[in-house]
Amino acid sequence: MSSSSGLTFKLHPLVIVNMSDHYTRVKAQQRGVPSRVVGCLLGVQSGRVVEIFNSFEVIYEARGGDGAGSSSNPREAMDGGSGEAEIVIDRSFLTTKMEQYKKVFPKYDVLGWYSTGTDVCAADMHVHKALMDINESPIYLLLNPAINPAGKDLPISIFESELHVIDGVPSLIFVSSTYTIETVEAERISVDHVAHIKPSDGSSAATHLAAHLTGMHSAIKMLTTRVRLLHSHLAAMESGAVPYDHSVTRQVSSLIRRLPAVDSDRFHRHFLTEFNDTLLMTYLASITKSTNTINELVDLFDVVYDKQSRRAARTAFV
């Protein structure tokens, strides 16, 4: 079920890195046993836009469903089923972390929490309700650690809580929401730096170039596919084949308004400058490669000529 709140969620890469690092460390400490982790999300909400900037870990206790104390396996406690357990967050630790982050980032508020797993379960709602005294409408970010080679999207889902009447009883349920990845300049520089770190397997520059070009080709191909899908969806809405979606049309209109911003004389001058610089670098690289080839040929010629000269000198001496 999709959310009807109309909120726009923007997720920063730092949150994804923090969650992945948290899960990886816990898994390594438990010697490869899959474990579920829990943490809080920090960010800013401005009107209908919710931007998630950072996150931190929290300590919790998984109490067994039979009330016999805490479970030694957090995964068993949080996966649901007959042995489903209640998750109790360490409130003192949470309060301390919130105060520490508030001193460093005074504008950030606790927007919700995150966890790992393949899908939501009943135990997640207990944690969700426990955080409502901090944020009356928290969000839930779920990271799926299972590897899916065929998957093209990030294994991340964002859920909101809505009150629905089910069988005559008001119940709080999770509803999925869409999100976009938002980056600032520092994050882009960091991600680019990490992406260009040379591995220690002795791969050549040609291998890195091929991988880079393959990634660019995949990105352009995916962008083309999504533009075609968006175009076909708008055409279907215009013909009446699908219901009219005002949210989608507003987002498309906002995107289209940005296009004329790059159609200016200043942009064309900068573009031509960058294009000419790229062509010049390509031309210089070709000249350098040709010069190196000629230099190797001259070295071989000198070696052959020197051998012939020595042979001729020995023959004359005899």
Side-chain angles (χ1 to χ4, degrees):
M1 183 179 297
S2 300
S3 173
S4 58
S5 64
L7 295 176
T8 301
F9 293 96
K10 296 182 179 181
L11 182 63
H12 284 256
L14 180 59
V15 182
I16 304 175
V17 173
N18 287 344
M19 291 189 301
S20 301
D21 176 70
H22 188 189
Y23 175 79
T24 303
R25 283 188 288 103
V26 173
K27 182 179 179 181
Q29 292 170 2
Q30 297 182 357
R31 298 182 180 180
V33 179
S35 178
R36 201 170 189 183
V37 297
V38 179
C40 283
L41 303 173
L42 297 174
V44 178
Q45 180 172 357
S46 177
R48 312 298 296 176
V49 179
V50 180
E51 199 162 358
I52 308 172
F53 286 96
N54 205 343
S55 64
F56 63 86
E57 308 168 12
V58 297
I59 300 175
Y60 71 90
E61 179 184 5
R63 297 179 179 175
D66 54 358
S70 62
S71 171
S72 60
N73 190 344
R75 187 68 181 180
E76 177 184 351
M78 299 184 69
D79 272 347
S82 59
E84 185 174 327
E86 180 183 0
I87 305 305
V88 180
I89 295 178
D90 189 337
R91 301 295 294 194
S92 61
F93 178 82
L94 176 60
T95 303
T96 303
K97 294 291 289 186
M98 289 172 54
E99 293 175 352
Q100 292 173 350
Y101 271 91
K102 200 66 177 178
K103 293 179 181 179
V104 182
F105 306 103
K107 296 183 179 180
Y108 289 0
D109 297 319
V110 175
L111 301 178
W113 65 292
Y114 73 83
S115 183
T116 54
T118 56
D119 201 357
V120 296
C121 58
D124 297 340
M125 184 56 70
H126 297 304
V127 181
H128 200 76
K129 292 180 179 179
L131 295 176
M132 285 186 174
D133 60 338
I134 301 175
N135 190 316
E136 61 180 10
S137 182
I139 59 177
Y140 176 30
L141 194 151
L142 181 65
L143 172 66
N144 185 3
I147 299 177
N148 183 13
K152 296 182 179 180
D153 297 328
L154 290 174
I156 295 176
S157 303
I158 292 182
F159 298 93
E160 297 179 75
S161 57
E162 292 183 355
L163 190 63
H164 289 244
V165 179
I166 302 176
D167 297 333
V169 180
S171 302
L172 199 64
I173 63 173
F174 286 117
V175 291
S176 61
S177 300
T178 58
Y179 65 91
T180 57
I181 301 298
E182 187 77 9
T183 59
V184 295
E185 187 65 24
E187 291 175 327
R188 286 194 291 269
I189 294 175
S190 301
V191 172
D192 183 72
H193 176 71
V194 173
H196 287 81
I197 293 179
K198 185 177 180 181
S200 58
D201 56 356
S203 300
S204 61
T207 304
H208 295 296
L209 178 61
H212 177 66
L213 294 178
T214 303
M216 291 185 61
H217 178 267
S218 301
I220 295 174
K221 184 178 179 181
M222 182 179 296
L223 176 62
T224 305
T225 303
R226 293 186 176 183
V227 170
R228 290 178 179 174
L229 178 62
L230 185 60
H231 180 268
S232 61
H233 184 69
L234 292 175
M237 282 197 300
E238 184 179 11
S239 62
V242 297
Y244 197 85
D245 192 339
H246 294 279
S247 177
V248 173
T249 54
R250 283 196 298 268
Q251 294 180 17
V252 172
S253 177
S254 176
L255 179 62
I256 292 176
R257 289 194 187 98
R258 301 179 186 177
L259 297 179
V262 298
D263 189 12
S264 61
D265 295 337
R266 182 180 179 184
F267 169 75
H268 285 294
R269 287 197 301 270
H270 285 287
F271 175 77
L272 290 177
T273 301
E274 293 289 340
F275 183 69
N276 290 333
D277 291 344
T278 303
L279 291 179
L280 179 60
M281 292 299 296
T282 305
Y283 181 63
L284 291 176
S286 300
I287 294 177
T288 303
K289 185 176 181 180
S290 301
T291 304
N292 184 47
T293 303
I294 294 175
N295 187 36
E296 292 178 355
L297 179 62
V298 171
D299 290 341
L300 293 176
F301 179 79
D302 289 341
V303 171
V304 174
Y305 182 78
D306 184 62
K307 289 182 177 179
Q308 291 179 352
S309 300
R310 292 180 179 179
R311 188 180 302 110
R314 289 196 298 271
T315 303
F317 178 78
V318 174

